[in-house]
Amino acid sequence: MQAHLAAQDDDMWYAITDGPMKILKINKAVATTEGAPHMVEKHRSEWTAEDKKKTNLDNVEKDILYKTLDKNMFAKIKTCTTAKEIWEKLTQLCEGNDQTKENKLTVVIQKFDNAKMKSGETLAEFDERFSSIIIQLTSLGKDYSNREIALKVMRAFPREWDLKTIAMRESKDLNKLELDDLFANLKAYEFELGI
């Protein structure tokens, strides 16, 4: 049952990424080349119940996408004829072209480079703000190592945190220190400082 659902999920994603499914069969009139059979499209009268489900996946996907859009977004994609076209149009509208993505990445890298804990900001607030920057970077294809992230966070704190951050640099393997674990460790110190 799980294998069937996984295959169905793969087929649904295929309908989004590659377009409507073509139902194929082996063309027995043509010899196979290098072990690969020659495929031709099945006539509609030859479709099995499973084939019919697969050909309807594009309609199912379009319906799902339509239901998730507000009127404004729907107006922008209503001329698209396949789920793939809708997905590509939405991607373009939401993410922009390559130049837009590059500009967004530059801005988020600058946010990362300039991240500092603000005066009066709690650790939880800084954690939320910094984690948001990391999520943005990841979504734009930029990944930093655990070590780079940990060092950046430790450099972002005011002077009263120096004792803790120096001790952490010496005692922890920063290559294995996840961001959540880093902030959890620092929250105990924030409590000690009485911030």
Side-chain angles (χ1 to χ4, degrees):
M1 179 67 174
Q2 285 181 329
H4 175 71
L5 290 175
Q8 187 176 8
D9 287 346
D10 288 344
D11 288 344
M12 290 181 80
W13 185 242
Y14 175 88
I16 292 248
T17 59
D18 295 347
M21 294 186 121
K22 291 182 173 41
I23 306 302
L24 304 174
K25 67 177 182 177
I26 296 173
N27 183 357
K28 295 179 182 175
V30 177
T32 61
T33 56
E34 298 177 22
H38 184 263
M39 304 298 284
V40 294
E41 205 164 333
K42 271 187 187 179
H43 187 271
R44 204 175 175 98
S45 64
E46 300 175 283
W47 288 358
T48 65
E50 187 67 25
D51 293 340
K52 290 175 186 175
K53 283 182 186 177
K54 286 183 178 184
T55 60
N56 194 44
L57 282 177
D58 189 63
N59 291 327
V60 171
E61 292 296 332
K62 286 192 299 189
D63 186 55
I64 291 169
L65 291 168
Y66 289 155
K67 288 178 180 177
T68 62
L69 301 174
D70 62 23
K71 289 179 183 179
N72 181 40
M73 273 304 212
F74 179 77
K76 293 176 182 180
I77 59 91
K78 69 182 179 184
T79 59
C80 298
T81 58
T82 66
K84 180 181 183 195
E85 287 177 27
I86 294 169
W87 186 256
E88 288 171 349
K89 182 75 169 181
L90 289 172
T91 301
Q92 179 69 29
L93 290 168
C94 296
E95 293 181 5
N97 60 24
D98 289 341
Q99 183 63 45
T100 304
K101 289 178 193 175
E102 189 65 35
N103 291 340
K104 285 179 183 179
L105 181 59
T106 299
V107 169
V108 181
I109 289 173
Q110 287 174 343
K111 283 183 185 180
F112 177 84
D113 291 342
N114 298 327
K116 293 279 185 200
M117 192 172 188
K118 297 175 183 173
S119 177
E121 185 175 34
T122 66
L123 186 60
E125 292 166 339
F126 179 65
D127 179 3
E128 185 176 333
R129 189 166 56 87
F130 190 80
S131 294
S132 173
I133 292 169
I134 297 299
I135 290 167
Q136 290 173 46
L137 286 166
T138 302
S139 72
L140 292 168
K142 177 69 174 168
D143 291 314
Y144 287 99
S145 70
N146 287 345
R147 179 179 183 72
E148 291 169 312
I149 291 171
L151 289 172
K152 178 59 196 164
V153 167
M154 291 179 197
R155 287 190 299 265
F157 289 110
R159 287 216 158 295
E160 60 262 23
W161 289 81
D162 284 353
L163 186 62
K164 179 63 174 175
T165 58
I166 290 169
M168 285 182 73
R169 276 186 229 147
E170 292 175 1
S171 67
K172 302 274 186 198
D173 181 356
L174 299 183
N175 293 314
K176 295 180 181 176
L177 187 60
E178 297 285 334
L179 186 59
D180 292 339
D181 295 333
L182 172 63
F183 276 106
N185 194 301
L186 291 167
K187 284 177 184 170
Y189 188 68
E190 179 185 44
F191 183 73
E192 288 174 29
L193 288 176
I195 298 174

